[in-house]
Amino acid sequence: MRSQLLDGSASDVLQTVRGLGFLQIDPIATVATPQRLVLWSRLGPYDVAELDRLLWEERKLFESGAFIRPIEDLPLIVARMRRKRTGKYAGERRGTEFLQKNAGFRRYVLRELERRGPLLSRELVDSSVRTWKSSGWHGSRNVAVMLELLEARGQVAIVGRRGGHRLWDLAERWYPQVEPPPLDEAEQLLAEKRFRSLGVKFEKGEWLAHRDAEDGPVSRRVTFLSPFDRLVHDRDRAEALWGFRYRLEMYVPKAKREYGYYVLPILRGDRLIGRIDPVLDRKTGVLKVKSVHWEPVVKPVSLQKPLRSLATFIGAGSIES
């Protein structure tokens, strides 16, 4: 809990992202997007404009792939971007093949970004000659695929958002000049950062605490966690450490769901004590609680304080249980 800044020690957005290592981005916003909800769980209601300022104005954070990271990690990510792609993985082979088959399309995208950028993906013409067989994430727009492949290789960058959509430009115009370390060193440093932020890891049949991890009691504050929160992101780890079996059921048919569409774990102090299924009705401004489920042998506690905090954060005018 201390390593994940869930002990009440988080003070501001930048310090929290640095402590966690990264925020995972996802567009689903039943109550709030995961990247915002993870911060709320630690900070309570905060100015969401601060995250945008840190990303797009002060550039102390950067967006890469599906993550928001501290800018000091850019050399490590650039090392990944520049790595030699051997074709070991199927997705890597598909990406390389797509770029090879669409060399002309690639030149067009880079030329247009140089000439007119920053641009939204829809402001680029899809002139690809090979269709990317979508798994459902990209639809039929090969422009998005091209941009993401170029971003992963360090040629383009996400430089802002317009109406929630990514703005793209040439990486050389956005990122500061950095000297990346060798890939092996970069991966070791990233692994060490992950270990430190998680506090413990399972290795060779036993749980190991990070040398900087602090023990001791934490406050019994009650909050809710995003399904993408690193405390529960590894479902097996959460079950092994807390005896808390948690699965996201949004892709489960409604009739087969055990708890609900987008259920949030309830954290009290250093215990996962239940789960709550809230949803924001954006038309009426009402935060609705569809259900609450407590873990076995847990004595229910009042959720009014965290619900009021969540309602304030997302701009809900009232709460309906």
Side-chain angles (χ1 to χ4, degrees), residues 143-244:
V143 175
V145 174
M146 176 61 76
L147 287 167
E148 289 175 9
L149 289 171
L150 294 178
E151 194 270 337
R153 286 158 174 76
Q155 291 189 275
V156 305
I158 303 162
V159 304
R161 292 268 174 169
R162 187 189 300 164
H165 299 286
R166 292 171 294 185
L167 276 170
W168 301 86
D169 204 348
L170 297 180
E172 63 190 33
R173 291 205 294 229
W174 181 252
Y175 291 138
Q177 291 293 318
V178 298
E179 188 61 38
L183 181 59
D184 288 349
E185 181 181 336
E187 292 295 354
Q188 288 174 3
L189 289 169
L190 288 168
E192 168 64 16
K193 285 174 175 284
R194 285 194 299 273
F195 184 16
R196 184 185 299 113
S197 70
L198 291 173
V200 296
K201 67 177 179 180
F202 192 71
E203 187 173 274
K204 296 180 180 178
E206 61 179 341
W207 289 100
L208 302 176
H210 190 273
R211 60 182 178 276
D212 296 335
E214 296 182 18
D215 201 357
V218 299
S219 66
R220 303 184 77 182
R221 64 189 287 267
V222 179
T223 192
F224 312 134
L225 303 179
S226 162
F228 296 89
D229 198 293
R230 290 297 118 175
L231 195 76
V232 295
H233 183 266
D234 184 332
R235 311 306 192 205
D236 293 336
R237 175 179 181 268
E239 190 167 359
L241 290 179
W242 287 278
F244 186 76

Side-chain angles (χ1 to χ4, degrees), residues 249-308:
E249 297 183 295
M250 57 187 295
Y251 300 117
V252 176
K254 186 175 181 179
K256 295 184 178 180
R257 291 174 193 154
E258 186 176 3
Y259 297 108
Y261 176 78
Y262 201 74
V263 171
L264 311 182
I266 303 171
L267 177 70
R268 186 189 189 206
D270 60 357
R271 295 289 184 269
L272 292 163
I273 63 172
R275 55 205 88 201
I276 185 170
D277 187 12
V279 61
L280 174 62
D281 187 329
R282 289 175 170 79
K283 291 183 179 180
T284 62
V286 176
L287 175 59
K288 298 181 178 180
V289 178
K290 301 174 72 174
S291 65
V292 176
H293 301 270
W294 302 102
E295 287 294 277
V297 309
V298 166
K299 183 179 179 180
V301 300
S302 173
L303 299 178
Q304 286 306 303
K305 186 174 181 179
L307 280 171
R308 287 196 301 269

